[in-house]
Amino acid sequence: MIGSTDFDIEQIYAFERKLSALYPNNRNVRPKIRQQLQLLRDNGYLEFLARGRYRVRKENC
């Protein structure tokens, strides 16, 4: 858990090793992280603030 509604992509990348261990056949963890952040943004769960910066939308907290 990040613990804040505002975060940057580097904070999410900190989970890369753990995700790689959970999904050993996925050799593209960082691109998949970016893809999922985009999906969350497109579906209204995240707000894009600036390059690499996001905010969890309040109605989704």
Side-chain angles (χ1 to χ4, degrees):
M1 190 72 183
I2 296 172
S4 175
T5 57
D6 289 14
F7 62 93
D8 65 43
I9 200 163
E10 292 302 321
Q11 290 172 283
I12 304 300
Y13 285 161
F15 295 96
E16 181 178 9
R17 185 174 293 168
K18 191 173 203 175
L19 291 167
S20 292
L22 286 170
Y23 302 98
N25 293 327
N26 186 346
R27 301 288 181 222
N28 298 296
V29 173
R30 281 188 179 220
K32 180 55 83 172
I33 289 171
R34 288 191 304 273
Q35 178 191 49
Q36 293 305 306
L37 288 171
Q38 289 171 356
L39 280 171
L40 290 167
R41 180 204 62 205
D42 292 348
N43 288 311
Y45 293 97
L46 293 179
E47 179 181 355
F48 179 75
L49 302 176
R51 184 179 177 123
R53 300 272 315 142
Y54 297 87
R55 176 179 294 141
V56 177
R57 294 184 61 116
K58 291 185 182 191
E59 57 271 9
N60 296 310
C61 290

